[in-house]
Amino acid sequence: MSGILNSSIGRKFAMALSALFLMIFLLQHFTINLLSVFSEDTFNNVSHFMGTFWLIQYVLQPVLILGVIFHFVMGFVLEIRNRNARQISYAKNNGSANSSWMSRNMIWSGLAILAFIGLHFYDFWAPEINVKYFKGDMSGLIDPDNVNSGFRYWEELHHKFVDIWRVVLYCIAFIFLSLHLLHGFSSAFQSTGMNNKYTKSLQGFGKAYAIIIPLGFVFIALFHHFTH
Ligand code: HEM
């Protein structure tokens, strides 16, 4: 592993692979969140399954968190190395002649997403860990002493979007996410050198993903805000 990460192309591959993994997570996360718009019951049942099934909780969740950390750390490493390399080889040119505005700002959109994840964990993940593992309540019920009280997941999500400031912050983050995905997708094609008859349609898919998923998240946040 360290051998792969020691070469520039190895690092870019690792970056693209971790990005692909995070995109698969984001697609399933989006699909489950979208259920909250259509059916309170379905969203509650799926959330309870995801939140209590051992494979997801104790295997996939830690892998996901490691994947997020890896992607960010590797992103910084690549950025710093690129900067150092640029000082030497691009000495005669200005930055914009060598890299697009977005590619130079990949690190900034990445930092905006990192800040969002901080807020997002504070909003959803930390309270979830608190109820389940600190208070020891795995029931998922609004009132753990009353089996008829129903699951709490949809209610909690719905109430998070009462405050307009949170909706605005989330939507700004989704715009950064879209920009990050748009550029990330095209740079992944360059670094993996993939160029065959599927490249065009995959690039089209990447563009569609980078626009539709963040827009869908905007829709979910607005839906919960305006249906109060
Ligand atoms: C309207 C948009 C979104 C909503 C309503 C939402 C909702 C949630 C909820 C309810 C959880 C808690 C799951 C749990 O631990 O029980 C969660 C966790 C999480 N969300 Fe989101 N999310 C949204 C957007 C995003 C975006 C855009 C990202 C990534 C850029 C993201 C990344 C995560 C991560 C990494 C977790 C922790 C996963 C885990 O529990 O293991 N979310 N989200």
Side-chain angles (χ1 to χ4, degrees):
M1 184 71 179
S2 70
I4 296 171
L5 297 182
N6 275 338
S7 74
S8 166
I9 194 76
R11 276 190 294 268
K12 284 180 179 168
F13 250 110
M15 198 64 190
L17 264 186
S18 61
L20 187 68
F21 169 71
L22 293 177
M23 282 176 63
I24 294 170
F25 158 74
L26 208 60
L27 184 62
Q28 71 83 31
H29 194 48
F30 171 69
T31 311
I32 294 175
N33 287 340
L34 193 60
L35 290 175
S36 72
V37 168
F38 299 107
S39 164
E40 203 174 318
D41 276 349
T42 316
F43 176 76
N44 272 335
N45 291 331
V46 174
S47 296
H48 188 64
F49 169 76
M50 297 295 286
T52 50
F53 184 43
W54 66 271
L55 185 69
I56 292 169
Q57 282 300 294
Y58 306 122
V59 181
L60 292 185
Q61 180 161 263
V63 169
L64 171 67
I65 292 178
L66 284 179
V68 171
I69 294 173
F70 178 86
H71 192 74
F72 275 110
V73 171
M74 223 43 214
F76 276 110
V77 171
L78 283 174
E79 168 69 14
I80 288 162
R81 292 204 169 232
N82 285 346
R83 268 181 198 219
N84 291 341
R86 218 174 282 148
Q87 273 170 8
I88 305 159
S89 53
Y90 295 165
K92 290 198 210 89
N93 291 318
N94 61 36
S96 58
N98 297 293
S99 57
S100 72
W101 180 85
M102 242 350 265
S103 94
R104 278 182 289 118
N105 288 285
M106 204 60 187
I107 197 78
W108 293 109
S109 54
L111 278 174
I113 298 167
L114 188 60
F116 162 76
I117 290 182
L119 171 66
H120 194 49
F121 270 36
Y122 168 80
D123 281 347
F124 289 104
W125 187 76
E128 206 45 44
I129 296 291
N130 183 34
V131 170
K132 284 195 300 207
Y133 302 113
F134 287 95
K135 294 192 176 147
D137 172 17
M138 299 295 280
S139 71
L141 296 168
I142 293 173
D143 174 2
D145 297 324
N146 176 5
V147 279
N148 297 320
S149 58
F151 282 138
R152 57 184 167 77
Y153 310 103
W154 191 89
E155 283 293 327
E156 285 174 356
L157 185 149
H158 193 59
H159 280 102
K160 273 284 175 264
F161 293 100
V162 169
D163 295 338
I164 187 69
W165 66 264
R166 183 181 271 105
V167 177
V168 170
L169 281 183
Y170 269 51
C171 289
I172 293 172
F174 300 150
I175 293 169
F176 277 111
L177 177 65
S178 178
L179 295 172
H180 194 79
L181 287 167
L182 271 174
H183 180 264
F185 226 92
S186 59
S187 83
F189 277 95
Q190 275 173 16
S191 43
T192 52
M194 202 163 91
N195 195 4
N196 56 41
K197 62 180 172 167
Y198 303 113
T199 308
K200 259 225 148 82
S201 34
L202 262 178
Q203 273 173 339
F205 169 81
K207 245 190 188 156
Y209 180 106
I211 293 168
I212 293 169
I213 302 288
L215 254 187
F217 278 125
V218 169
F219 169 67
I220 294 168
L222 292 179
F223 172 85
H224 286 286
H225 180 73
F226 287 110
T227 51
H228 267 101

